[in-house]
Amino acid sequence: MKQFAPAFASVFAALLLAAAPIHQAGAADGGQAAKARATKTAKAKPVKTKARKTAARAVAAAAVAKSIDYSGEQVNFAEWQAVRDFADEMVAKHGFERGEMDTLLRQVRFVESAVQLVKPAPPGKPKNWQAYSERFIEPIRINAGVRFWNENAEALARAEATYGVPAEILVGIIGVETVYGRDTGRFRVLDTLTTLAFAYPEAPNQAARAAFFRSELENALLLARHERIDPFTLLGSFAGAVGLPQFMPGNILKYGVDFDGDGHIDLRGSTSDAIGSVANFLVQHGWNPADKGPAVIQVSVAPSRAWEPLLERGLSASLRGEELLGAGVTPDVPLPADRLYGLVDLQNGADPTEYWAASGNFFAITKYNRSYFYAMSVLDLGRAVREARADTVL
């Protein structure tokens, strides 16, 4: 990405130093996320060598040096009344300087491609799990996962010991999200979040989605102030997700972990912070470390279709094993009696649909991305990387 004007960096640095301290992350949920983050951060061990940190920061700097994925339209967001109201709120609520906010907003670009990308996909082919899976469970991603695991074995083992999330799950998520940092996004986060906050396309949920992105714009500015960085150096996806694990700014504030012990939460340049933050997110969203069984067990379903209503239970494990059996669901192996399950269908286009009994840990992964296909890809990629890594050791 091309470098941005040093003059702006110095202007915003003054804003960072003068503004009030960041609000307590997790306050909206009773402070539990903040408490968990503080506890886990206290347990973090500093990286033993400076070489890894230096290399990680070099990677982050190189990412900023790349060109962004769009030209963007130079509009004056500072003249939009809704944007001015937002700036007023940042001043009143968080102590930002109004002049600095105006300077910042005048440099934000309108990103038409972000508007187009958030629109629902047109009706097309039926869902196809096998085709989806082939995009992620393939040699390039698996080999990159083996390298990532080998290079970050200490952090992965420490995260597993601290949070109870297996290393292969963490490797699976980071691999599915960004191919282990290869594809973290090349949009300026402030551009995309401002565009989607104040120009979200017409849709039934337009108001709710615009409010979400407005909140994330607020969080992005708070994050930049807290970490003392120029907010225009935050690069991410067209929707504003950042770093190796593609956290939205609000989730960085709530669930981000300083897992390398350097005093900063850096999901772009620190693989350790990314690993610890993913583990913390999963635990805060229902991952049960005590559940050591498989996250999913394949099942067959009876022709009577008495099981169909069980597919409408949402993203949670709420069914006892005997309820599944009573509805005509037959597992390939016996279901552990001390767990709850959800019935998951993976459609395969014209081919038969696959059915699985999924545990609470499977549904914890869906809180990262609300998709059965996504969660199953995480499981399959993590397992494939673990098996490939074992073969290389042998």
Side-chain angles (χ1 to χ4, degrees), residues 106-367:
R106 281 195 292 270
Q107 299 184 59
V108 174
R109 301 175 188 175
F110 180 88
V111 186
E112 176 62 26
S113 57
V115 174
Q116 297 304 319
L117 286 167
V118 296
K119 292 181 178 179
K125 296 180 180 179
K127 293 181 180 180
N128 191 316
W129 157 241
Q130 292 301 328
Y132 180 96
S133 176
E134 289 171 1
R135 295 165 47 198
F136 298 99
I137 319 305
E138 47 81 27
I140 291 176
R141 208 175 296 248
I142 292 170
N143 291 335
V146 171
R147 290 193 298 273
F148 180 84
W149 196 326
N150 289 339
E151 291 169 1
N152 297 280
E154 182 274 335
L156 287 164
R158 183 157 53 87
E160 184 167 342
T162 302
Y163 295 96
V165 180
E168 69 184 76
I169 300 298
L170 306 175
V171 169
I173 285 179
I174 295 173
V176 168
E177 289 292 340
T178 61
V179 197
Y180 307 100
R182 189 191 74 182
D183 302 326
T184 57
R186 290 163 58 189
F187 289 85
R188 295 198 309 185
V189 167
L190 287 197
D191 291 344
T192 58
L193 292 179
T194 305
T195 298
L196 296 175
F198 301 105
Y200 196 87
E202 185 174 348
N205 62 348
Q206 180 186 41
R209 296 304 294 163
F212 168 77
F213 285 110
R214 188 180 189 278
S215 174
E216 289 300 334
L217 176 59
E218 174 184 2
N219 288 327
L221 293 173
L222 291 170
L223 174 66
R225 184 174 73 181
H226 183 254
E227 294 298 327
R228 297 179 180 273
I229 59 175
D230 177 348
F232 285 112
T233 65
L234 279 173
L235 304 184
S237 73
F238 70 87
V242 174
L244 278 78
Q246 292 291 275
F247 273 26
M248 294 299 288
N251 280 340
I252 298 176
L253 293 174
K254 288 182 180 179
Y255 307 112
V257 173
D258 173 21
F259 209 56
D260 63 11
D262 70 350
H264 297 279
I265 297 171
D266 179 9
L267 304 191
R268 298 176 296 162
S270 171
T271 54
S272 293
D273 287 2
I275 288 165
S277 297
V278 172
N280 187 42
F281 179 96
L282 290 176
V283 169
Q284 296 300 319
H285 287 84
W287 185 275
N288 179 9
D291 186 352
K292 305 297 184 182
V296 290
I297 296 173
Q298 192 158 19
V299 300
S300 58
V301 293
S304 67
R305 308 189 76 83
W307 43 267
E308 277 192 333
L310 304 184
L311 292 170
E312 309 300 326
R313 296 295 188 94
L315 299 178
S316 64
S318 60
L319 299 166
R320 299 186 304 276
E322 54 265 32
E323 291 180 86
L324 290 170
L325 296 172
V329 177
T330 304
D332 287 0
V333 298
L335 297 176
D338 57 346
R339 308 166 90 199
L340 294 175
Y341 301 90
L343 183 61
V344 168
D345 59 333
L346 302 181
Q347 300 170 38
N348 278 312
D351 294 327
T353 297
E354 296 178 23
Y355 295 93
W356 298 78
S359 73
N361 284 346
F362 175 90
F363 289 105
I365 299 172
T366 67
K367 303 306 188 295

